[in-house]
Amino acid sequence: MNMISPLPVAAPPADSVDIPAYSASGNECALFEKAWEKRLPLLLKGPTGSGKTRFVAHMAARLGLPLFTVACHDDLSAADLTGRHLLKGGETVWVDGPLTRAVREGGLCYLDEIVEARKDVAVVLHPLTDDRRILPLERTGELLSAPPSFMLAVSYNPGYQNLLKNLKPSTRQRFVSITFDFLPRDQEIVVVAQESGLDEGAVAPLVDLARRLRSLKGQDIEEGVSTRLIVYAASLVAAGLPRPEAVMAAIIEPLTDEPEVRAGLIEISRAALG
Amino acid sequence: MNMISPLPVAAPPADSVDIPAYSASGNECALFEKAWEKRLPLLLKGPTGSGKTRFVAHMAARLGLPLFTVACHDDLSAADLTGRHLLKGGETVWVDGPLTRAVREGGLCYLDEIVEARKDVAVVLHPLTDDRRILPLERTGELLSAPPSFMLAVSYNPGYQNLLKNLKPSTRQRFVSITFDFLPRDQEIVVVAQESGLDEGAVAPLVDLARRLRSLKGQDIEEGVSTRLIVYAASLVAAGLPRPEAVMAAIIEPLTDEPEVRAGLIEISRAALG
Amino acid sequence: MNMISPLPVAAPPADSVDIPAYSASGNECALFEKAWEKRLPLLLKGPTGSGKTRFVAHMAARLGLPLFTVACHDDLSAADLTGRHLLKGGETVWVDGPLTRAVREGGLCYLDEIVEARKDVAVVLHPLTDDRRILPLERTGELLSAPPSFMLAVSYNPGYQNLLKNLKPSTRQRFVSITFDFLPRDQEIVVVAQESGLDEGAVAPLVDLARRLRSLKGQDIEEGVSTRLIVYAASLVAAGLPRPEAVMAAIIEPLTDEPEVRAGLIEISRAALG
Amino acid sequence: MNMISPLPVAAPPADSVDIPAYSASGNECALFEKAWEKRLPLLLKGPTGSGKTRFVAHMAARLGLPLFTVACHDDLSAADLTGRHLLKGGETVWVDGPLTRAVREGGLCYLDEIVEARKDVAVVLHPLTDDRRILPLERTGELLSAPPSFMLAVSYNPGYQNLLKNLKPSTRQRFVSITFDFLPRDQEIVVVAQESGLDEGAVAPLVDLARRLRSLKGQDIEEGVSTRLIVYAASLVAAGLPRPEAVMAAIIEPLTDEPEVRAGLIEISRAALG
Amino acid sequence: MNMISPLPVAAPPADSVDIPAYSASGNECALFEKAWEKRLPLLLKGPTGSGKTRFVAHMAARLGLPLFTVACHDDLSAADLTGRHLLKGGETVWVDGPLTRAVREGGLCYLDEIVEARKDVAVVLHPLTDDRRILPLERTGELLSAPPSFMLAVSYNPGYQNLLKNLKPSTRQRFVSITFDFLPRDQEIVVVAQESGLDEGAVAPLVDLARRLRSLKGQDIEEGVSTRLIVYAASLVAAGLPRPEAVMAAIIEPLTDEPEVRAGLIEISRAALG
Amino acid sequence: MNMISPLPVAAPPADSVDIPAYSASGNECALFEKAWEKRLPLLLKGPTGSGKTRFVAHMAARLGLPLFTVACHDDLSAADLTGRHLLKGGETVWVDGPLTRAVREGGLCYLDEIVEARKDVAVVLHPLTDDRRILPLERTGELLSAPPSFMLAVSYNPGYQNLLKNLKPSTRQRFVSITFDFLPRDQEIVVVAQESGLDEGAVAPLVDLARRLRSLKGQDIEEGVSTRLIVYAASLVAAGLPRPEAVMAAIIEPLTDEPEVRAGLIEISRAALG
């Protein structure tokens, strides 16, 4: 059996079976819908664990769009997005990449941490993000026009930006943009309780501790505690692990390797949780 | 079905169905026509969003030339422009690149942000940009002579120039050159109104805000607000988003990630828009 | 005979025949089990020779999970983990990598020294380490959902961390974490005696010497003496080599190349062992 | 149809149909002929647009030699000059590169901007530039002896030389050398008038302006105005563009991107042309 | 005839026909035997020409082990050690590398100057150098268990160590280690006389000169005179070359290119040899 | 016709038809013969144009050895020396490189400017340059023993040495070494007269000028005038070019690009030649 399908077929969207829960903290849902309606590409900025990926999954499901998510990295090139020729039975066969599939199917393509990708990615994004909305596939000689329902969303974390890895203004000024931050306290407690199965009363002190640790960002720790880590801690407590051990393994250890910083965080944690 | 066409065929020009609207601000149309008439290559210099790509599309349509646009990048090599051999049925088949197609069909080849391309690109451009006007295809053994209607146009953004990525004088002195800048105020209002569907009275304060922000370039923001971003903001307003939210998402967020700079831009925006 | 199996078959787990001995020094076994039960990925931090690899082998056997261990390095890419197409009889055949095998078989995948791997590895880990628990195989078009028994564990040595090779917070905050350290004295004596066949009385002074040398870490020597080196020394003594020669070859020479430092270590060793 | 010719055939020389006009400014023609007669390789040094490429084309036609011109660049390797194996019908077929063709056909091989090429190019040049005059083709096992009519000419621009890109003395001392400079005033006026179709009276002030700007080289502008740029300006004037606009587009804009320098050049231009 | 053997066959060990002469200067033979008996890997440290390679060849022959020697270098990768797939008759065939052959045949694998190799080499060495003693061949899906007679030995020269090329502690602490130095005077005279055929009386002043020059290491010369160079000098004298010329060509010229240093060495040599 | 010979055949030595003229200036011929007799490898040190390549060709012819010369460069790898598999008719065929051919045929392999080659070249040289004299071909599984007549000679120019490109002592101490310099005056006059066809009386002032210019090395010019350049100048004079023009083109222009230095050299030349 050969696993390469000769031609891309309409596969069920990767993660659209249910509408993933999403707890909005501002006008982001309206902005996303307006941008989609006006066929404008969208840039999501914000720290790790502030819910960008979840938000995109939520909106894709809500608008009924097939979602194609790509986590960008140092070696991700334009061909990884558009597609490649593969050899089969002595013939070369074209296999669509996720961006091409999103264009063909009129779906939502989400490129997570776009600044990590190689520079040639800009080539395929530029004609898709101006009024032409086209995707030229030079290797196959095709020129795809994006259907009205197609949308491109990208994200990046401004905290990582450096001189080498940055969005050029010529790319950046092609996107409507929005900044994400952590959820407000009460909303975050509800979300963590839902995800972990721990009751809200037991979750609240964990959220409060995380919020206190977030205020240390830039001093001793590189990045604030993500909502995901609070969910991890609550899950371990729900599974029967003593709370101090759960906080140690799911919140403190992931934040730092420095013995002094770790001691300080344990101190703060003890003071906060009693 | 195999998507590789064995030999390049005369495809309809990529984007010449209609003549794209273009609002000239100087002698650029006459200069383009004279250069084309005298078979001289052209270099367009100017910031992001100053209308270079639109201008080229406009002129191509006006002169009835098929247009081949290539967005250059770090990994774009001469072979991406001239063509490659691909394997098909055990035979290697030559597939023309966009530059070769433009030469064969007597069209306009436009290389956007030429300084981003790899250095070997200069090899194929040099004999096309002196009195020989030839394109040697070493891999196929062909020597193409460009027909009179063929023209080469390239662009770059002097604001990005650095020591590593620069046009060598030996390349640069092969092009007639022109500098682009943003449109005058009244012309820009007309263009934004046409593109966004918002009336000129509502567009005017957005253009005025953009012009004010452009004067900050080099101080707090890297690049001035492009006309495209004003169109985005006007489109979102036209779609019903409150103006402050549209300005935030389409003008301020795309310009900066710095909280202090963002706060300053919001202040300017509030003062300007009331 | 051709050694490439066309399709991955259910191979016996690499190293799960017996349950490898492991001497716990904290709550690490309970934490591992809770994380596995709650389907959370795990990060093990600690110095060379502190027993991380042995601990993982122990837990895999205890939980009855097939174990797939990968020692990461500078050139390890995502494809090394997920799989590749190989040519066979004119056909391209997909061969699963160790991560894919672990997902298909519901096993434990252990990536040792994860920070050494190439950055594109993060791409395949991210969707496996959030609530989606999926592994998209873009090359085959498959989307694998990890079964409940699948677990991902990674390790790194904070002592090696540098600016270039570091876990990004966006990756790091996806793991429950735990710090390993050397065993307490009495436990280490028992382990070395078991492994080397030397009696505990003869092992004790070797362990004491190692513990003394570990306190020099960061001054003259880069890394503390691992338990493995004490086992080597004890093994050589058990094989009949004079103790000073065994200590020289198995403990002092592996720690340093500097003649002055070596002289100092010999001095300490003589003082300690008489 | 397959475009790869299995074996190189005697193609008509690339650019020898007519003898290209050339206006000598010194003993370069005699020197070229003597070097060719004595089978010595030749190095042409000089700035952009000083006529090196034209001179070589002229001499090739005058001596009746097929000319093979290669514009060197960062990625040009020895194999680009000597040839490669390509796959055809399951067989590998050797295809000669331009240097090999020049040797086989006893022609003139001209490597423009030799310092740009990769270092392995020196390997194939060394045995061709000493008394052996041989070209070993290791890939085919052939050892070609250059016929008496074969000649190698290379060029470079000393103004670009830097520490990384330099001719090693061991290569440089293999060439008879000559320095090129711009034409004397009256000769340059005649050449520009012939190339542009503008009469000599109208050309003279353009040449005088260019000569004045050349004296600024090294202060504000990187490289002097080439004769080619004067031809461009004269052509645009001949096509009906106002002289100030032609000078702006063909002389000033190609020289600089700095607003202050441009303003200075415009000032000089206005003073010179009235 | 095709030279690729489809499957590795038991070839006679590379260099084990006779037991190469080796003159021990310490406990290195006993240590090697004990390490082999206890299945511990061995690291040899020492300067150029101190006899490490010869020692390994000697021990391999003495223990009757087939020897697989690999000189490591910048581009040596794991695949060079484990093996590769090669294409044969349209089928891919696996060909074992030297490490794999050593494991399959229970021989001695010696990696000379291990720090020069690429980092992925550590991947294949780690599971072979702990208690697992396994070699996973991911490409073929095999998991080889090293037989009791298999041994791994590596070497490096601490004098070359630098920040980029260093043994990580996690690799280094996997080896029993031993430092090599030049032979004592009388032993070295015997060895040189045997190797060169020159009588010991004539060899002695050459050895004395070499020992005097070794004391200059780190001042004017980078590395001390190896025993091999003394053998060269003695061989040239035995062949009839005058002693000063032999010393010049075999000892002084190989040590330095600096005219002043050379003059100093000649002076020392004249004083020493009369 | 296919130019790849399936198996290497005994080709006539590349350049051994006649014994090339060589004018010895010291004991180099005796030293070469003794080294060859004792099977020792040889390193030739010296500046450009000091006759190293000619000397090797002379000795090869004198000893009746087939000569395999390789000019080393940045990209020359071990496989370029040993050989490669090429695809032919669906089969992979091994094609010997020049080093392998020299070993099989018992010839002389000469690697010019060895420090330019890639580091993996040392791998194939080490076992050929100690008492083993073997060449392992890992790709074919062969282990070649060099016949007594095989010899390896390498060269490098100490003037180019830098920190990155240097012979490691572990390689360098494997070679008997000799330093080359320019010929004495009277010898050089004879050689230039023979090579150029100009009579000795006319050659003498050219040699005297070159010797004067050599004394400037390190001050204004990077490398002294090679004998080859004097031959070039004499050849051009013999062809009828005026002596000042010949000296300008063949001696002064190849030495420098600096206008001031050139003016100084012209001054010296005029003073010397009248």
Side-chain angles (χ1 to χ4, degrees), chain C:
Chain C
M1 198 197 91
N2 192 304
M3 293 180 192
I4 308 166
S5 50
L7 283 177
V9 294
D15 25 344
S16 71
V17 185
D18 299 305
I19 298 190
Y22 178 76
S23 180
S25 63
N27 71 335
E28 67 262 33
C29 296
L31 182 66
F32 192 105
E33 283 186 1
K34 297 295 182 196
W36 176 70
E37 188 184 320
K38 286 290 181 179
R39 304 178 195 175
L40 305 178
L42 189 64
L43 165 64
L44 310 176
K45 306 189 286 186
T48 293
S50 54
K52 301 186 297 291
T53 300
R54 179 76 71 100
F55 169 60
V56 171
H58 171 78
M59 291 306 300
R62 194 155 135 178
L63 297 171
L65 302 173
L67 174 61
F68 299 85
T69 296
V70 181
C72 298
H73 56 87
D74 276 23
D75 299 318
L76 188 100
S77 67
D80 292 318
L81 294 178
T82 55
R84 294 175 191 284
H85 283 100
L86 293 179
L87 196 67
K88 180 168 169 295
E91 290 283 307
T92 48
V93 177
W94 175 260
V95 178
D96 278 347
L99 179 64
T100 302
R101 294 190 60 195
V103 171
R104 286 198 207 274
E105 303 175 25
L108 172 58
C109 185
Y110 175 51
L111 306 180
D112 193 17
E113 300 205 32
I114 179 79
V115 288
E116 300 290 329
R118 286 171 56 162
K119 303 300 186 193
D120 65 344
V121 161
V123 182
V124 297
L125 297 188
H126 279 203
L128 266 176
T129 51
D130 56 28
D131 56 305
R132 292 174 289 168
R133 298 208 2 132
I134 55 174
L135 176 61
L137 297 177
E138 287 166 18
R139 303 288 167 112
T140 68
E142 287 179 287
L143 182 75
L144 305 181
S145 286
S149 66
F150 169 79
M151 182 171 180
L152 178 69
V154 306
S155 78
Y156 84 120
N157 183 343
Y160 294 169
Q161 269 195 304
N162 61 34
L163 286 173
L164 287 175
K165 292 206 165 175
N166 217 321
L167 273 187
K168 291 193 302 181
S170 65
T171 296
R172 190 179 169 125
Q173 293 208 4
R174 292 165 176 277
F175 293 87
V176 169
S177 305
I178 187 168
T179 291
F180 272 68
D181 208 340
F182 297 111
L183 287 175
R185 177 181 181 276
D186 292 349
Q187 245 182 301
E188 194 167 33
I189 291 172
V190 172
V191 164
V192 171
Q194 282 169 346
E195 302 268 326
S196 67
L198 195 68
D199 67 272
E200 296 189 10
V203 164
L206 295 173
V207 166
D208 288 335
L209 172 63
R211 291 171 60 84
R212 181 152 179 197
L213 294 177
R214 282 170 189 161
S215 68
L216 302 176
K217 180 184 165 184
Q219 300 176 26
D220 287 323
I221 57 181
E222 195 182 351
E223 183 74 78
V225 182
S226 68
T227 304
R228 177 184 290 123
L229 286 184
I230 317 177
V231 173
Y232 282 9
S235 297
L236 292 173
V237 171
L241 207 69
R243 191 167 70 177
E245 292 184 17
V247 165
M248 186 72 187
I251 294 183
I252 296 177
E253 288 278 12
L255 285 184
T256 187
D257 299 324
E258 296 298 324
E260 298 78 13
V261 176
R262 185 164 45 193
L265 299 184
I266 291 171
E267 195 59 37
I268 292 169
S269 167
R270 270 195 200 130
L273 300 177

Side-chain angles (χ1 to χ4, degrees), chain E residues 1-5 14-15 48 53-54 69-75 80 84 86-90 95-96 98 101 112-113 116 157 160 195-196 222-226 228-229 232 235-236 238-241 245 248-250 252-257 262, chain F residues 6-8 27 30-31 34-35 37-38 40-41 43 45 85 87 90-94 96 104 118-123 126-127 129-132 134 136 138-143 156 158 161 166-179:
Chain E
M1 195 197 94
N2 193 305
M3 294 181 191
I4 309 166
S5 50
D15 24 346
T48 293
T53 300
R54 178 76 71 101
T69 296
V70 181
C72 297
H73 57 87
D74 276 22
D75 298 318
D80 292 317
R84 293 176 191 284
L86 293 179
L87 197 66
K88 182 168 169 295
V95 179
D96 278 347
R101 293 190 61 195
D112 193 17
E113 300 205 33
E116 300 289 329
N157 182 343
Y160 293 168
E195 301 268 326
S196 67
E222 195 182 353
E223 184 74 78
V225 182
S226 68
R228 176 184 290 123
L229 286 184
Y232 281 9
S235 297
L236 291 174
L241 207 69
E245 293 184 15
M248 187 72 188
I252 296 176
E253 288 279 11
L255 285 184
T256 187
D257 299 325
R262 184 163 47 193
Chain F
L7 282 177
N27 71 335
L31 181 67
K34 298 295 183 197
E37 189 184 319
K38 284 293 180 178
L40 304 179
L43 166 64
K45 305 190 286 187
H85 283 100
L87 197 65
E91 289 284 308
T92 47
V93 177
W94 174 260
D96 278 347
R104 287 199 206 272
R118 286 172 55 166
K119 303 300 185 193
D120 65 343
V121 161
V123 182
H126 278 202
T129 51
D130 57 25
D131 56 304
R132 291 175 290 168
I134 55 172
E138 286 166 17
R139 302 289 166 112
T140 67
E142 288 179 287
L143 182 75
Y156 84 119
Q161 268 196 306
N166 216 322
L167 275 186
K168 291 193 301 182
S170 66
T171 297
R172 190 179 169 125
Q173 294 208 3
R174 291 166 177 277
F175 293 88
V176 169
S177 305
I178 187 168
T179 291

Side-chain angles (χ1 to χ4, degrees), chain D:
Chain D
M1 198 197 91
N2 193 303
M3 293 180 192
I4 308 166
S5 48
L7 281 178
V9 293
D15 26 344
S16 71
V17 184
D18 300 304
I19 296 189
Y22 178 74
S23 181
S25 63
N27 71 336
E28 67 263 32
C29 296
L31 182 66
F32 192 106
E33 283 186 0
K34 298 294 183 199
W36 177 69
E37 189 185 319
K38 285 292 180 179
R39 304 177 194 176
L40 305 178
L42 188 65
L43 165 65
L44 309 176
K45 305 190 287 187
T48 292
S50 53
K52 301 186 298 290
T53 300
R54 180 76 70 99
F55 169 61
V56 170
H58 171 78
M59 292 307 298
R62 195 156 135 177
L63 297 172
L65 301 173
L67 173 61
F68 298 85
T69 297
V70 181
C72 298
H73 57 87
D74 276 23
D75 299 318
L76 188 100
S77 66
D80 292 317
L81 294 178
T82 54
R84 290 176 194 285
H85 283 100
L86 293 179
L87 197 65
K88 184 170 168 292
E91 290 284 307
T92 46
V93 176
W94 175 261
V95 178
D96 279 347
L99 180 64
T100 303
R101 292 190 62 196
V103 170
R104 287 200 206 272
E105 302 175 25
L108 172 59
C109 186
Y110 176 51
L111 306 180
D112 194 17
E113 300 204 32
I114 179 79
V115 287
E116 300 289 329
R118 286 173 53 167
K119 303 301 187 194
D120 65 344
V121 161
V123 183
V124 296
L125 297 188
H126 278 202
L128 267 176
T129 51
D130 57 26
D131 56 303
R132 292 175 289 168
R133 296 204 10 125
I134 55 171
L135 176 60
L137 297 177
E138 286 166 17
R139 302 290 167 112
T140 68
E142 287 179 288
L143 181 75
L144 304 182
S145 286
S149 65
F150 168 79
M151 180 170 180
L152 178 70
V154 305
S155 78
Y156 84 119
N157 182 343
Y160 293 167
Q161 269 196 306
N162 62 33
L163 287 172
L164 287 175
K165 291 204 164 177
N166 216 323
L167 274 187
K168 291 193 302 181
S170 65
T171 296
R172 191 180 169 124
Q173 293 208 3
R174 291 166 176 276
F175 292 88
V176 168
S177 305
I178 187 167
T179 291
F180 272 67
D181 208 341
F182 296 112
L183 286 176
R185 177 181 181 275
D186 293 348
Q187 244 182 301
E188 193 167 35
I189 291 173
V190 172
V191 164
V192 172
Q194 282 170 348
E195 303 267 328
S196 66
L198 194 68
D199 66 90
E200 295 189 9
V203 164
L206 295 173
V207 166
D208 288 335
L209 172 63
R211 291 171 61 85
R212 181 147 178 201
L213 296 177
R214 282 169 188 161
S215 67
L216 302 176
K217 183 184 162 182
Q219 300 176 24
D220 287 323
I221 57 181
E222 194 182 351
E223 184 73 79
V225 183
S226 68
T227 304
R228 176 184 290 124
L229 286 185
I230 317 179
V231 172
Y232 281 9
S235 297
L236 291 174
V237 171
L241 206 69
R243 192 167 69 178
E245 292 183 16
V247 166
M248 187 72 188
I251 295 184
I252 296 176
E253 288 279 11
L255 286 184
T256 187
D257 299 325
E258 296 297 325
E260 299 76 16
V261 176
R262 184 162 48 190
L265 299 183
I266 290 171
E267 196 57 40
I268 291 170
S269 167
R270 270 197 199 128
L273 300 178

